[in-house]
Amino acid sequence: MTQVWSLIWDSFRESIDRMMFWVMVVLTVVLAAAMACVSFDEKGVNILFGAWKIESESFSLSNPDFSSFVGTIVVKFIADYYLGLLGVIVALITTAGVFPSLMTSGTVDLLLSKPMSRSKLFLSKYIGALTFVFLQSLLFVGLTFLVMGIRWHVWIWGYWGFVLLLVILFSYLFAFTALFGVMTRSSLTALLLTGVAWMVIWTPTAAADTLEAFRMAPGMTVNGEPVERSDEMGKWERVFRTASWFVPKTTDITEIAGQWVGAALFSDLLLSVSDSAPEQQRRDLEESREFESKVSPVDPLTSIGSSLLSEAVIVLLAMYQFGRRDY
Amino acid sequence: MTTHVTEITSLAVDLIGVKKSYGRSVEALRGVNIQVRKGEVFGLLGPNGAGKSTLVKIMMTVVRPDAVAGTILGRPIGHLGKKSVMGYLPEVTRFPNYLTGRQVLDYYAQLSDVSASDRRRVIPELMERVGLSHRWHDVRCSKYSKGMLRRLGLAQSLVNDPELVVLDEPTDGLDPIGRRDVRELLTELRSTGKTIFLNSHLLSEIEMVCDRVAILNQGLVARQGTLTELTDHSVECHIKVDGDAAALTAEVEQQGGEIRDGMIVMTQHDGEKVNNMIDLLRGKGIMIESVVPHRFSLEDVFVQILGADARGLKTVEPGKTPPVAARPVS
């Protein structure tokens, strides 16, 4: 066990030695500080510690749905864009070199000469990279949780689940980075190929979701033209849905996060702030709301379970590559 | 039977038929047999591309062999329990540059399953022992010079108090004082009963510290034995005469000698032939100025083997016992 801890700890030390780690820490602190500049009271929103006040019924503590609205904002903007995209990309950039640098001459020779198996070495390094992301996520979620609690008076305990979800999301992609890193011994190539893999694994779920949207919203129009629903579309939806079962489902993570924080539907949020919007716009939003409420929710266990299985296959492949080659 | 068992257990390294190819065209090792006794300093010599580093990497499981039999410390190659009592210094070492020298040793000691109390005790001692003074202990190794990194690497190879230390070019990058320090350290390690497997290009270094030597060439062991075995029979006798020695070519060749640089060179260690040659010269009334026996150095033997192999004259095929001494080939 000493060996495993030693390797994990070394991965962490290696990561914090990189500039990107500190860039992410600074970004986290800046975002938390920016969030802290906003607070809510019974009447609405206070910005810059009361320097600017916006009256809003929806975004006030008097709104009983306020907590779920905050959850929606957190999921849509923090989980989806900031952590799910920027955070994961930064984490991948930071950790892309873990295996290529491990496999450089002079490093790998020493490690392989130690009394441990190659698979143990590989998995320890892999877990080390995940630990690094876990700590980054913990810092981010911890800080923003406190800001939301203290400044916004909203204590969303399910928000802590983001830490786990982010590590899982990162692990889906890092499995590819590890595989390509082991195969090519190049951080840059591994990173670029991971980007390609991300697109590939995103495609089946995205395609199936789009086709499901057509199915669930019969009145949907594209460029003003109503979309005809055909059996062919249904067939392709099943094909993509089946295909998505075999790849890590990165897009499901945001929805699972929404479930865990009890987020309101995004169209509900938009509707609540569009009192003065034109009638047509409100009708469109209500249609969107109806559609959103009809879409079948993601089952976290099935989604994460099948994704982790796919990830395990990729990791095993990478481990096999690492174990069989000469250095 | 008793003798056989004793022989086996007295071997720290017993490699039989080690083969390794890279692709279809490159045969790095073609059936190497090497035996290293416990407590000795064993030197592995060979020209570039002979397969030395491949062999060392196979011993340390960095490279997977195509075929191998035998044992290291009585267990098959790669046995994890035995790896914990082996130390290794690769030809190239790349330490994590975010760690200090002390942290580097602590990290590799942990990977070798050294207990925390032993690490605390051993690491400062080792650093001093390899010549890294106290003020460098807590300095990041990215600040170390090439020589200091080599010393740190050496300390790393000893951090688990190994029974067998495998050193690949340990003095590479060291200044003359550093090289002397390493030689002294090796001698000290031998006195404590440790087995040392030394891979080096430096023949003088091997000659100074090694008990036994193997010369690897073109993926095969060309020679293996003690330094004395390798050089003892490789003796020439140089006879300098007054006058033109070339005129005696026919007689000299008849006695098994040759004319080289105006001197008669008896190319075999054969006292009788040398005496016959001297009698012959006296009989002809030729003045003998000097008779100098010349023992080959390891370098001479090494160069001869390489020269012979280059001409296809000497190759010890797999499965055959390599001769322990070289016949000088002029």
Side-chain angles (χ1 to χ4, degrees), chain A residues 278-295:
Chain A
E279 189 59 26
Q280 180 60 40
Q281 197 177 335
R282 282 191 63 81
R283 265 207 304 275
D284 289 346
L285 281 172
E286 274 164 9
E287 273 183 22
S288 297
R289 187 191 176 286
E290 192 186 342
F291 163 71
E292 264 193 271
S293 61
K294 279 183 183 171
V295 171

Side-chain angles (χ1 to χ4, degrees), chain A residues 62-268:
Chain A
S62 56
N63 180 0
D65 293 330
F66 178 66
S67 174
S68 59
F69 281 178
V70 170
T72 308
I73 293 169
V74 164
V75 169
K76 197 72 190 169
F77 297 102
I78 297 180
D80 208 1
Y81 296 124
Y82 187 79
L83 289 178
L85 194 66
L86 181 69
V88 168
I89 290 171
V90 170
L92 285 172
I93 292 171
T94 313
T95 54
V98 166
F99 286 101
S101 70
L102 169 73
M103 293 164 74
T104 51
S105 178
T107 302
V108 72
D109 314 46
L110 275 178
L111 292 172
L112 292 180
S113 71
K114 301 302 172 195
M116 64 184 152
S117 65
R118 289 186 178 201
S119 51
K120 188 176 183 180
L121 173 61
F122 177 91
L123 285 176
S124 301
K125 278 284 179 185
Y126 190 84
I127 293 167
L130 299 190
T131 308
F132 159 74
V133 175
F134 171 78
L135 292 174
Q136 281 240 332
S137 308
L138 199 64
L139 175 71
F140 182 90
V141 170
L143 268 181
T144 49
F145 175 81
L146 286 176
V147 168
M148 285 191 291
I150 294 166
R151 298 283 296 155
W152 301 3
H153 308 288
V154 177
W155 298 94
I156 307 173
W157 294 99
Y159 183 51
W160 285 103
F162 276 36
V163 177
L164 181 63
L165 288 177
L166 284 165
V167 174
I168 290 172
L169 173 62
F170 170 78
S171 76
Y172 292 167
L173 298 166
F174 187 65
F176 288 102
T177 314
L179 175 65
F180 297 133
V182 167
M183 287 168 73
T184 65
R185 297 196 196 190
S186 158
S187 318
L188 188 61
T189 314
L191 203 55
L192 292 173
L193 290 174
T194 302
V196 174
W198 195 351
M199 291 299 292
V200 170
I201 60 174
W202 170 83
T203 304
T205 314
D209 286 349
T210 307
L211 290 169
E212 185 187 11
F214 285 136
R215 179 165 55 83
M216 299 301 291
M220 186 176 277
T221 58
V222 173
N223 296 330
E225 295 292 319
V227 177
E228 291 293 326
R229 187 175 156 244
S230 65
D231 291 344
E232 191 73 4
M233 284 169 73
K235 191 182 84 180
W236 280 108
E237 185 192 334
R238 283 193 297 278
V239 168
F240 283 122
R241 193 63 74 198
T242 308
S244 73
W245 209 92
F246 295 98
V247 293
K249 288 160 276 296
T250 52
T251 46
D252 286 357
I253 292 291
T254 312
E255 198 183 322
I256 296 168
Q259 292 176 21
W260 286 9
V261 299
L265 296 175
F266 191 57
S267 42
D268 267 344

Side-chain angles (χ1 to χ4, degrees), chain B residues 25 68 72 89 98 150 193 204 208 214 267 278 300 309 325:
Chain B
S25 54
V68 67
I72 293 181
L89 173 67
Y98 44 86
R150 209 64 192 146
S204 56
M208 275 189 261
T267 52
I278 290 170
D300 295 327
D309 276 354

